[in-house]
């Protein structure tokens, strides 16, 4: 039981009267790598944002690392410490240096000493291969570098789970790989990852399972092998045809 | 002005709500004595001759001396028994109504509205704000009638315009009006000789003459007043004792002048009073102060510390000052003015 | 003339000037006339302010000025203590000087990056205010008590300005944050407060605080007039500054707060570490503007009987001896305001340059 990282049961989400997510059931085990794909507007972002409660859900249950997500603010903050997130648009804090971006939350939330926080930060900056930019401001970095800093920032909190929401889709093509490389390494190290991406090469290589969403529903859930070679669902086939023709 | 409307409405509203807490007779004196200090109005800046500040930031002026006289009447001295708080024109009524000050001595005219609706009580006037003409000496005008056929520089829309019109009509002379928007424009026009005379409160004329006209001696204030506004001490309504104290304090100043008592000779006068009246007023014989709730020698203290009316006038606005304002209507009755003491019996 | 057809060399400043101002005979005439006029006015001004000016009067009287044609700076020599300290007791004015210096020093220090943290600012200003109160108000350590009614001049104006900003700035932050709250009650309260206060002219607020409130509030809540007026003025400042800040907050991408949330940072930390630093940076120019306006508006307190810099300036020339010298007094006061406004705007420029490095 304790190796369940995320468990979502019969979850529904509405924006007003508009239903964004329908009857979502999803279980993620610790160490598992999940890739979510699907057409634009299908609810991928909304789903993973429900996992760290950047969005609330109206119906059903979401259990993350044994904690039920509900109105309780205290438990939300607890969950968020353990669940890191990497955004499409990086969302680095522009008024802080790279190093400060990485040490801010660990010092405030995890109560690390400055020395400890900086040691950890430098370690992760090393891992995402930009230790030399520690004292630069985000505006002085390229997109790929910024996204790698964002990953390092999330890692500095030592999270159990990492959520990625299209981490490469705002990047120029030549920068995509430097970010994917970092993500691959994370996957190798056994990080639990839920990843919204259209990088099908990455999905095929890294994912334990691929989930296809359409119109707020999980339409197909499969191993990458089966997903790419023999999709069960009509809509999946259509989507793959479009995306792979690209 | 919107603000003024707001303020007078506020003042009236306050008066209406404050009448419940109408000052009762003797209450103000009691408060002042308990506090050990009289709180009196100053100015937010300077009102030349009446309320100004010397180089060391000490208050000076006619109104200030009256504050001192009142404090001296109560405490025998004003040193450390008088607080003068800077007060703006607009602030006068709320300040007195709220009890922030004990008396408004601030070149304030006695009007119907203030006396009734705003809920104030006035002392006897301590000065007539006499409204006079000023003209170049070379015109040779000795009376307003001598200005017949001449022109008058005026600030349009002021009460002075009305005064001039009705005075000219009743006294049978004609004077042409040259109106201006601003006081400065009016003064400049007068200095440039564009009209024969200007009309103002005589103290303002004296200030203008002494301080702004290049050759003050070339101009003269025509003595006969065109109109007058009585300036009096304003107090909260309902405290008759406090009004009595204000009136008798003022009366002591005038009486002393009338009887020839000055700060220089008051000791001698007290030792050898020429009349029973003087004896009583200076506290050589009892009965003057106690009836007011004061010490019997309060009259002596006022004269000793502040001087008589003539001394106050001279020091602040008269010959002893830069303004050199003649006494005019504010002279004693025997000198052709309207000033007289109340009767001590 | 073939010269006329030559292309203007772009790099020559002189040539450019010549091109702009001396092209046709009319241009030349206009330029010459303006230059002459400027020279004439400049010369007159110089003559008045410096060459023919009277700088000092040995006996403290105005006669030397009356005999001269230039500016009468002797009025400043005779009346400067009145201008700086108003009706503060003369013998004690060193205290007002120390108190004012404490405020100016704190103001200067708070501008240093070393003090750029909420806690340090708070400590700095608490210390400065404590010092100010000890010296200005007295009543402790054997210093005689000088109530606020006797404060005046520059000392009062500065204290008032600083107090309004110190009280008003946190208040404006609260209002701006309340204004974007998810809870309708809190948001509504903020909107009513902000719009309500902005619907009123400042003088009305000052009058109400100074003169009307004493009739409404219970005695123990009234306090001295100066505190009520500071509270009213601070509310006024906060209403405007809250909107300035809100605009700074709204300029932030939504992702900033989300990133902070996703890192597990609580509301307080999100606001103080992520939102406000960026909001202030965005809102820096209008904030400096607001501060300058507020400094100027402090002169309004004269109409509720405070003896501020303007009032003491009025008192400085408002005596028989010096009443002709009002231009000089106002020039001196303008210089004082000018020094503060100039420092503020220079500091704003410095901040903008410095903060640009880390902006998005
Ligand atoms: N705050 C909101 N209010 C109302 N509707 C919203 C809101 N946010 C998203 N939606 C709607 O919810 C649906 C799902 O949005 P979501 O962002 O999850 O899609 P997505 O699958 O991530 O698409 P994309 O690939 O374009 O990012 C969309 O139809 C969107 O219009
Ligand atoms: Mg999305």
């Amino acid at each position: 039981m304790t190796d369940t990282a995320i468990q979502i049961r019969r979850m529904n989400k509405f924006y007003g009267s508009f239903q964004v997510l329908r009857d979502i059931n999803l279980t993620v085990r610790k160490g598992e790598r999940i890739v979510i794909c699907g057409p634009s507007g299908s609810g991928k972002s909304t789903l993973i944002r429900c996992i760290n409660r950047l969005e609330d859900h109206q119906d059903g249950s979401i259990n993350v690392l044994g904690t039920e997500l509900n109105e309780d603010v205290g438990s939300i903050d607890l969950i968020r410490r353990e669940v890191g997130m990497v955004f499409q648009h990086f969302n680095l804090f522009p008024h802080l240096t790279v190093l400060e971006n990485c040490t801010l939350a660990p010092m405030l939330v995890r109560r690390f000493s400055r020395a400890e926080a900086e040691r950890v930060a430098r370690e992760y900056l090393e891992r995402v291969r930009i230790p030399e930019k520690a004292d630069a401001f985000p505006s002085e970095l390229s997109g790929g570098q910024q996204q790698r800093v964002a990953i390092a920032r999330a890692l500095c909190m030592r999270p159990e789970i990492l959520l990625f929401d299209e981490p490469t889709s705002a990047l120029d093509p030549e920068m995509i790989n430097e970010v994917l490389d970092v993500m691959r390494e994370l996957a190798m190290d056994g990080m639990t990852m839920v990843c919204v991406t259209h990088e099908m090469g990455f999905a095929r290589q890294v994912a334990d399972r691929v989930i296809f969403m359409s119109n707020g529903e999980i339409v197909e859930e499969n191993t990458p092998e089966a997903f790419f070679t023999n999709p069960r669902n009509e809509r999946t086939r259509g989507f793959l045809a479009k995306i792979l023709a690209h | 002005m919107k603000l003024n409307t707001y303020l007078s409405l506020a003042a009236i509203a306050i008066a209406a709500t404050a009448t419940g807490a109408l000052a009762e007779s003797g209450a103000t004196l009691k408060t002042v004595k308990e506090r050990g200090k009289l709180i009196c109005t100053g100015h937010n800046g300077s009102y030349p001759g009446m309320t100004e500040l010397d180089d060391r930031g000490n208050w000076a002026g006619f109104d200030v001396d009256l504050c001192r006289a009142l404090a001296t009447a109560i405490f025998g001295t004003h040193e450390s028994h008088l607080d003068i708080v800077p007060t703006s024109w607009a602030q006068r009524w709320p300040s007195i109504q709220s009890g922030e000050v004990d008396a408004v001595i601030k070149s304030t005219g006695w009007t119907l509205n203030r006396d009734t609706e705003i809920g104030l009580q006035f002392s006897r006037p301590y000065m007539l704000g006499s409204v006079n003409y000023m003209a170049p000496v070379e015109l040779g005008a000795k009376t307003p009638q001598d200005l017949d056929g001449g022109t008058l520089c005026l600030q349009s829309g002021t009460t002075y315009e009305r005064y001039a019109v009705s005075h000219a009509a009743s006294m049978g002379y004609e004077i042409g009006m040259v109106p201006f928007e601003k006081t400065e424009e009016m003064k400049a026009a007068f200095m440039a000789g564009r009209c024969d005379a200007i009309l103002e409160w005589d103290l303002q004329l004296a200030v203008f003459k002494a301080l702004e006209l290049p050759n003050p001696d070339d101009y003269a204030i025509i003595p006969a007043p065109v109109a007058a506004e009585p300036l009096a001490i304003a107090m909260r309504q309902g405290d008759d004792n406090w009004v009595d104290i204000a009136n008798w304090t003022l009366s002591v100043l005038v009486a002393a002048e009338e009887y020839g008592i000055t700060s220089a000779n008051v000791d001698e006068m007290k030792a050898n009073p020429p009349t029973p009246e003087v004896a009583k007023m200076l506290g050589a014989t009892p009965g003057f102060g106690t009836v007011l709730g004061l010490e019997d020698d309060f009259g002596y203290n006022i004269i000793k510390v502040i001087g008589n009316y003539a001394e106050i006038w001279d020091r602040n606005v008269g010959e002893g000052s830069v303004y050199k304002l003649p006494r005019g209507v504010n002279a004693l009755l025997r000198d052709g003015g309207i000033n007289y003491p109340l009767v001590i019996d | 003339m073939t010269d006329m057809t030559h292309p203007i060399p772009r790099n020559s400043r002189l040539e450019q000037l010549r091109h702009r101002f001396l092209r046709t005979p009319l241009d030349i005439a206009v330029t010459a006339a303006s230059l002459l006029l400027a020279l004439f006015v400049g010369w007159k001004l110089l003559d008045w302010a410096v060459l023919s000016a009277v700088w000092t009067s040995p006996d403290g009287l105005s006669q030397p000025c009356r005999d001269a044609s230039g500016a009468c700076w002797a009025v400043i020599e005779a009346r400067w203590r009145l201008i700086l300290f108003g009706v503060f007791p003369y013998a004690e004015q060193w205290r007002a000087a120390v108190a004012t210096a404490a405020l100016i020093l704190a103001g200067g220090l708070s501008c240093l990056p070393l003090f750029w943290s909420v806690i340090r600012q708070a400590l700095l200003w608490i210390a400065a205010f404590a010092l100010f109160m000890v010296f200005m108000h007295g009543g402790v350590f054997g210093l005689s008590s000088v109530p606020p009614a006797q404060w005046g001049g520059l000392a009062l104006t500065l204290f008032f300005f600083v107090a309004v900003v110190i009280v008003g700035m946190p208040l404006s932050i609260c209002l701006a944050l309340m204004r974007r709250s998810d809870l309708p009650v809190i948001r509504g309260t903020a909107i009513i407060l902000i719009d309500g206060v902005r619907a009123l002219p400042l003088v009305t607020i000052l009058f109400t605080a100074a003169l009307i409130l004493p009739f409404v509030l219970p005695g123990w809540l009234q306090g001295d007039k100066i505190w009520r007026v500071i509270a009213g003025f601070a509310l006024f400042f906060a209403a405007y500054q809250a909107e300035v800040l809100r605009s700074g907050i709204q300029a932030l991408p939504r992702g900033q707060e989300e990133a902070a949330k996703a890192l597990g940072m609580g509301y307080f930390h999100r606001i103080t570490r992520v939102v406000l630093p960026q909001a202030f940076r965005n809102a820096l120019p209008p904030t400096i503007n607001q501060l300058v306006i507020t400094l100027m508006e402090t002169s309004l307190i004269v109409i509720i009987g405070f003896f501020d810099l303007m009032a003491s300036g009025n008192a400085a020339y408002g005596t028989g001896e010096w009443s002709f010298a009002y231009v000089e007094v106002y020039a001196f006061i303008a210089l004082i305001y000018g020094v503060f406004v100039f420092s503020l705007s220079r500091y704003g420029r410095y901040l903008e340059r410095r903060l640009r490095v880390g902006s998005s």
Side-chain angles (χ1 to χ4, degrees):
Chain A
M1 215 31 229
T2 47
D3 69 343
T4 305
I6 305 166
Q7 183 154 54
I8 303 176
R9 282 218 196 95
R10 312 192 63 92
M11 191 263 276
N12 290 294
K13 170 160 180 67
F14 300 84
Y15 283 121
S17 61
F18 172 61
Q19 184 160 14
V20 210
L21 297 176
R22 287 168 209 278
D23 194 29
I24 303 289
N25 289 288
L26 176 68
T27 306
V28 181
R29 275 176 288 109
K30 283 190 181 160
E32 231 185 338
R33 277 90 53 177
I34 307 288
V35 164
I36 303 176
C37 59
S40 180
S42 56
K44 310 179 295 289
S45 298
T46 310
L47 174 58
I48 70 163
R49 287 159 62 83
C50 282
I51 295 173
N52 65 351
R53 211 174 165 87
L54 288 182
E55 305 284 351
D56 55 356
H57 58 280
Q58 276 72 40
D59 203 11
S61 75
I62 302 178
N63 189 304
V64 180
L65 299 169
T67 305
E68 187 67 31
L69 290 191
N70 50 31
E71 299 296 326
D72 179 15
V73 183
S75 72
I76 294 173
D77 280 346
L78 276 178
I79 287 303
R80 284 179 181 161
R81 285 176 205 189
E82 309 298 336
V83 181
M85 188 163 200
V86 176
F87 300 86
Q88 182 175 3
H89 295 288
F90 332 134
N91 296 352
L92 292 178
F93 305 130
H95 60 299
L96 302 178
T97 63
V98 165
L99 191 65
E100 288 166 340
N101 262 280
C102 294
T103 55
L104 182 68
M107 285 168 63
L108 294 177
V109 181
R110 288 253 191 250
R111 307 234 157 257
F112 283 12
S113 69
R114 176 177 296 277
E116 172 70 358
E118 287 189 357
R119 195 187 59 71
V120 173
R122 288 190 193 279
E123 182 189 317
Y124 283 113
L125 286 175
E126 192 87 44
R127 274 186 69 177
V128 301
R129 290 190 279 279
I130 35 174
E132 74 283 3
K133 294 288 186 189
D135 296 318
F137 282 93
S139 56
E140 296 163 332
L141 304 183
S142 74
Q145 289 173 324
Q146 290 193 49
Q147 193 62 296
R148 284 185 282 147
V149 171
I151 294 173
R153 177 176 71 176
L155 289 173
C156 283
M157 283 294 287
R158 301 254 159 99
E160 300 260 343
I161 303 171
L162 261 187
L163 308 175
F164 292 83
D165 188 0
E166 307 200 32
T168 55
S169 53
L171 296 177
D172 292 338
E174 72 270 20
M175 297 179 182
I176 290 178
N177 273 328
E178 63 189 54
V179 172
L180 289 181
D181 285 346
V182 168
M183 291 170 65
R184 262 183 220 112
E185 280 170 33
L186 279 175
M188 299 307 152
D189 291 352
M191 171 66 75
T192 311
M193 294 164 73
V194 178
C195 205
V196 175
T197 183
H198 293 155
E199 294 298 330
M200 290 305 144
F202 175 80
R204 205 190 274 265
Q205 242 182 328
V206 172
D208 295 315
R209 266 185 292 155
V210 178
I211 285 170
F212 177 73
M213 289 186 71
S214 178
N215 285 332
E217 284 175 306
I218 295 185
V219 174
E220 178 152 359
E221 189 176 334
N222 222 329
T223 61
E225 272 310 308
F227 184 82
F228 287 110
T229 52
N230 184 19
R232 286 189 291 248
N233 192 288
E234 189 57 37
R235 276 185 279 182
T236 317
R237 251 174 259 145
F239 175 74
L240 281 177
K242 242 182 273 167
I243 220 164
L244 294 177
H246 205 55
Chain B
M1 278 221 359
K2 261 159 66 180
L3 180 63
N4 274 338
T5 325
Y6 167 76
L7 280 174
S8 37
L9 283 179
I12 291 171
I14 289 166
T17 54
T19 37
L22 240 174
E24 58 184 285
S25 190
T28 311
L29 181 62
K30 192 158 157 273
T31 315
V32 170
K33 278 183 169 170
E34 277 168 7
R35 193 197 290 133
K37 273 187 176 171
L38 174 77
I39 305 181
C40 198
T41 48
H43 196 67
N44 53 344
S46 161
Y47 197 58
M50 304 304 278
T51 320
E52 35 179 273
L53 285 156
D54 69 11
D55 291 354
R56 315 182 117 230
N58 298 313
W59 293 101
F62 198 99
D63 284 338
V64 173
D65 272 350
L66 292 186
C67 286
R68 292 192 175 128
L70 196 54
T72 306
I74 300 165
F75 297 107
T77 170
H78 60 84
E79 294 293 343
S80 75
H81 287 295
L82 173 66
D83 272 354
I84 295 185
V85 294
T87 308
S88 64
W89 295 116
Q91 194 192 356
R92 285 176 289 181
W93 314 138
S95 284
I96 185 73
Q97 284 162 341
S98 69
E100 197 184 322
V101 298
D102 300 309
V104 174
I105 309 183
K106 198 171 157 59
S107 306
T108 290
W110 183 351
T111 73
L112 174 67
N113 173 266
R114 294 168 184 176
D115 205 353
T116 57
E117 283 189 86
I118 295 187
L120 301 175
Q121 191 76 7
F122 284 87
S123 71
R124 63 191 303 239
Y126 59 80
M127 187 192 283
L128 267 191
S130 166
V131 177
N132 295 60
Y133 289 115
M134 181 163 74
V137 173
E138 60 181 16
L139 281 187
K142 297 274 181 286
T143 66
Q145 287 89 328
D146 294 343
L147 293 170
D148 191 23
T151 53
L152 175 65
C153 281
L154 264 176
Q155 197 184 347
S156 54
T158 60
T159 43
Y160 297 120
E161 190 168 4
R162 224 175 52 229
Y163 292 153
V165 169
S166 63
H167 190 260
S170 60
M171 303 300 284
Y173 61 99
E174 274 181 31
I175 191 160
M177 309 283 172
V178 188
F180 292 90
E181 270 296 310
K182 298 203 178 99
T183 323
E184 289 74 31
E185 293 172 3
M186 171 194 83
K187 285 176 175 172
F190 177 65
M191 284 196 269
R194 285 173 56 194
C195 46
D196 302 320
I198 54 172
L199 184 69
E200 271 273 8
W201 177 17
D202 61 356
L203 176 60
Q204 303 292 2
L205 288 178
V207 172
F208 177 46
K209 179 171 169 226
L211 306 175
E212 292 177 53
L213 289 175
N215 301 307
D217 295 340
D218 292 354
Y219 300 87
I221 299 174
I222 297 175
V226 171
E229 290 179 10
L231 309 184
I233 302 174
M235 292 155 282
R236 276 183 297 282
Q237 196 152 292
D239 189 347
D240 293 351
N241 164 257
W242 191 237
V243 178
D244 289 344
I245 291 174
N247 279 334
W248 284 97
T249 297
L250 294 174
S251 186
V252 163
L253 298 172
V254 181
E257 183 187 1
E258 174 128 345
Y259 304 147
I261 313 171
T262 66
S263 53
N265 70 8
V266 65
D267 285 308
E268 192 193 323
M269 284 287 195
K270 188 177 177 184
N272 308 300
T275 64
E277 250 186 311
V278 170
K280 191 163 178 180
M281 186 173 93
L282 297 182
T285 57
F288 187 41
T290 39
V291 291
L292 293 166
L294 304 174
E295 301 299 323
D296 273 336
D297 63 352
F298 85 90
Y300 163 83
N301 290 333
I302 295 174
I303 307 305
K304 179 74 184 170
V305 177
I306 313 292
N308 65 27
Y309 191 96
E311 289 175 81
I312 295 178
W313 183 284
D314 199 52
R315 178 161 68 225
N316 293 303
V317 295
E319 283 304 314
S321 74
V322 281
Y323 311 115
K324 315 245 179 287
L325 181 66
R327 283 287 286 274
V329 284
N330 290 296
L332 289 175
L333 211 47
R334 66 164 185 234
D335 301 329
I338 51 92
N339 230 342
Y340 57 89
L342 308 176
V343 178
I344 298 172
D345 53 3
Chain C
M1 294 274 258
T2 47
D3 262 44
M4 297 288 283
T5 59
H6 280 189
I8 315 295
R10 275 250 163 267
N11 49 4
S12 157
R13 196 73 184 257
L14 211 65
E15 279 302 316
Q16 275 185 34
L17 285 178
R18 210 180 96 180
H19 178 62
R20 276 175 72 178
F21 296 111
L22 300 173
R23 206 151 39 152
T24 68
L26 182 65
D27 278 357
I28 293 173
V30 169
T31 304
S34 340
L35 268 182
L36 274 179
L37 189 70
L39 269 180
F40 179 73
V41 172
W43 169 252
K44 280 280 173 200
L45 204 63
L46 184 74
D47 181 51
W48 177 80
V50 180
L51 301 180
S52 309
V54 177
W55 295 91
T56 168
S57 163
D59 50 2
L61 295 177
S62 62
Q63 200 52 49
C65 287
R66 292 168 190 273
D67 300 336
S69 64
C72 177
W73 301 117
V75 66
I76 308 299
E77 184 197 26
R79 309 285 277 179
W80 66 273
R81 288 181 65 163
L82 186 57
I83 296 176
L84 294 190
F85 306 120
V87 287
F88 204 88
Y90 191 79
E92 306 279 325
Q93 282 180 359
W94 64 272
R95 283 166 50 185
V98 173
T100 311
L103 286 189
I104 294 178
L105 187 70
L109 285 179
S110 74
C111 290
L112 298 179
L114 179 65
F115 283 91
W116 286 355
S117 91
V118 177
I119 296 179
R120 287 187 193 172
Q121 287 283 330
L123 286 180
L124 175 67
W125 285 109
I126 289 171
F129 268 84
L131 214 59
F132 183 90
M133 288 306 283
V134 165
F135 280 96
M136 199 75 177
H137 195 288
V140 287
F141 305 133
L143 296 172
S144 63
S145 169
V146 180
Q150 292 184 44
W151 300 359
L154 177 65
L156 178 68
T157 292
L158 270 191
F159 169 73
F160 210 87
F161 171 66
V162 171
V164 163
V165 174
I166 296 285
V167 178
M169 199 56 98
L171 195 59
S172 74
I173 294 173
C174 288
L175 283 176
L177 294 178
M178 283 167 69
R179 175 89 211 239
R180 58 194 283 284
S181 162
D182 293 332
L183 301 176
V185 185
I186 293 184
R187 192 175 53 240
T189 313
I191 291 176
I192 290 173
L193 256 174
I194 291 174
D195 288 355
V197 169
R198 289 195 304 172
L200 295 170
L202 179 56
V203 273
T204 314
I205 293 179
L206 296 183
F207 264 104
T208 309
L211 310 176
I212 314 286
L213 274 189
F215 293 93
V216 185
L217 289 181
W220 56 269
L221 233 175
Q222 281 174 24
D224 192 279
K225 181 173 77 174
I226 195 168
W227 308 123
R228 295 196 305 270
V229 172
I230 285 175
F233 208 140
L235 190 64
F236 183 81
F237 172 79
Y240 283 86
Q241 180 61 19
E243 290 296 279
V244 167
L245 280 182
R246 193 166 69 97
S247 73
I249 294 175
Q250 273 176 346
L252 288 190
R254 212 169 65 125
Q256 286 294 311
E257 247 198 300
E258 284 183 350
K261 275 186 189 171
L263 286 165
M265 292 167 67
Y267 180 79
F268 181 76
H269 284 144
R270 294 201 297 271
I271 294 298
T272 55
R273 299 309 191 91
V274 175
V275 174
L276 286 182
Q278 298 188 61
F280 265 104
R281 186 173 300 220
N282 292 337
L284 190 62
T287 299
I288 296 282
N289 194 32
Q290 199 63 37
L291 290 177
V292 170
I293 291 175
T294 303
L295 177 61
M296 294 307 175
E297 276 176 343
T298 55
S299 61
L300 275 178
I301 60 175
V302 68
I303 59 172
I304 41 174
F306 283 103
F307 220 93
D308 80 327
L309 189 53
M310 285 302 269
S312 49
N314 175 264
Y317 68 78
T319 177
E321 200 60 40
W322 298 108
S323 66
F324 61 92
Y326 56 90
V327 176
E328 290 85 344
V329 170
Y330 279 124
F332 183 63
I333 288 177
L335 181 73
I336 295 177
Y337 277 114
V339 165
F340 286 103
V341 170
F342 184 73
S343 320
L344 258 177
S345 67
R346 294 309 316 194
Y347 181 61
R349 295 272 286 280
Y350 156 77
L351 274 186
E352 272 178 59
R353 259 200 321 275
R354 188 187 155 105
L355 298 184
R356 196 173 299 146
V357 194
S359 65
S360 48

